[in-house]
Amino acid sequence: MLYLLDANMLIDAKRDYYPIHRIPEFWSWLAYLGEQGRLKVPQEVYEKVTDAKDDDLANWLKNHKDALVLDEDADPQMVDFVITRGYAADLTDDELEKLNEDPFLIAYALTEIAQRCVVTTERSKPSKERANRHIPDVCDDLGVCCLHIFRYRDTPGLIEALDFRTDWNSRST
């Protein structure tokens, strides 16, 4: 399975759970998984995080670009499919802008639906409509695997699925 990371997963992990300077093992683990081809960041997510501001997350991501950035371009037809079927066929320009990189992230997962999974910290909110829909709900409607970083509603998250632990580099793989 290839895990595709949403920007908020990286941002929330850095801000709330795994500050880069306090828990560098988490960030080394992500880089290692990127090198192994098990985890990637789509180009659009990379740009959102690195263009937003010059902070330690942006710098970390720039330093690990070769290992982490997904080396493919989004299929425009797949992105359009995600927008029209996952959000709404008649979104306004303002609504399209609000979607940011989310349709691209989901489109990359759709290209190899059985082998790819989106990872986000967004939570399901089925009552949201149009451009306000959350990634887990769009993924669910389109049949795309979607995980939270942590266990959510009895579903293992990325941390559990890939067995992160602070002693990860002392285990044989």
Side-chain angles (χ1 to χ4, degrees), residues 43-66:
Q43 181 67 38
E44 295 80 3
V45 171
Y46 173 83
E47 290 170 3
K48 178 179 181 176
V49 174
T50 58
D51 291 349
K53 58 183 173 179
D54 187 27
D55 67 359
D56 55 347
L57 177 58
N59 291 331
W60 176 84
L61 200 49
K62 288 175 187 175
N63 289 334
H64 295 89
K65 181 179 182 179
D66 290 343

Side-chain angles (χ1 to χ4, degrees), residues 1-5 37-44 68-75 78 103-119 139-140 142-147 158:
M1 182 68 68
L2 175 62
Y3 296 90
L4 301 172
L5 305 185
R38 298 185 66 198
L39 177 147
K40 293 293 178 183
V41 175
Q43 181 67 38
E44 295 80 3
L68 290 169
V69 174
L70 185 64
D71 187 24
E72 60 187 69
D73 294 324
D75 178 342
M78 195 68 75
F104 292 90
L105 174 68
I106 298 166
Y108 286 115
L110 270 171
T111 62
E112 294 183 44
I113 197 165
Q115 291 87 31
R116 294 185 175 187
C117 187
V118 171
V119 181
C139 285
D140 188 48
L142 299 177
V144 172
C145 172
C146 184
L147 292 180
L158 179 74

Side-chain angles (χ1 to χ4, degrees), residues 78-91:
M78 195 68 75
V79 174
D80 186 55
F81 175 80
V82 171
I83 292 169
T84 58
R85 297 292 287 274
Y87 295 94
D90 61 344
L91 294 177

Side-chain angles (χ1 to χ4, degrees), residues 9-169:
M9 194 236 84
L10 294 165
I11 294 164
D12 293 347
K14 177 229 165 205
R15 182 190 64 225
D16 299 334
Y17 306 105
Y18 304 112
I20 293 171
H21 67 285
R22 292 188 188 265
I23 308 175
E25 298 91 348
F26 176 77
W27 302 95
S28 295
W29 178 71
L30 291 180
Y32 171 78
L33 291 171
E35 290 167 3
Q36 298 300 309
R38 298 185 66 198
L39 177 147
K40 293 293 178 183
V41 175
Q43 181 67 38
E44 295 80 3
V45 171
Y46 173 83
E47 290 170 3
K48 178 179 181 176
V49 174
T50 58
D51 291 349
K53 58 183 173 179
D54 187 27
D55 67 359
D56 55 347
L57 177 58
N59 291 331
W60 176 84
L61 200 49
K62 288 175 187 175
N63 289 334
H64 295 89
K65 181 179 182 179
D66 290 343
L68 290 169
V69 174
L70 185 64
D71 187 24
E72 60 187 69
D73 294 324
D75 178 342
Q77 291 178 325
M78 195 68 75
V79 174
D80 186 55
F81 175 80
V82 171
I83 292 169
T84 58
R85 297 292 287 274
Y87 295 94
D90 61 344
L91 294 177
T92 66
D93 288 344
D94 288 340
E95 286 177 309
L96 286 169
E97 191 172 318
K98 187 175 182 177
L99 296 177
N100 292 309
E101 77 290 346
D102 294 355
F104 292 90
L105 174 68
I106 298 166
Y108 286 115
L110 270 171
T111 62
E112 294 183 44
I113 197 165
Q115 291 87 31
R116 294 185 175 187
C117 187
V118 171
V119 181
T120 184
T121 54
E122 286 185 13
R123 306 244 183 207
S124 175
K125 300 249 183 186
S127 63
K128 299 285 185 178
E129 297 179 344
R130 301 179 60 81
N132 294 316
R133 296 198 71 211
H134 285 204
I135 290 172
D137 300 314
V138 175
C139 285
D140 188 48
D141 286 352
L142 299 177
V144 172
C145 172
C146 184
L147 292 180
H148 193 276
I149 186 174
F150 301 112
R151 177 175 282 276
Y152 181 63
R153 294 185 178 164
D154 296 325
T155 301
L158 179 74
I159 298 296
E160 192 173 345
L162 294 179
D163 197 27
F164 172 71
R165 53 184 79 212
T166 56
D167 68 342
W168 73 270
N169 58 358

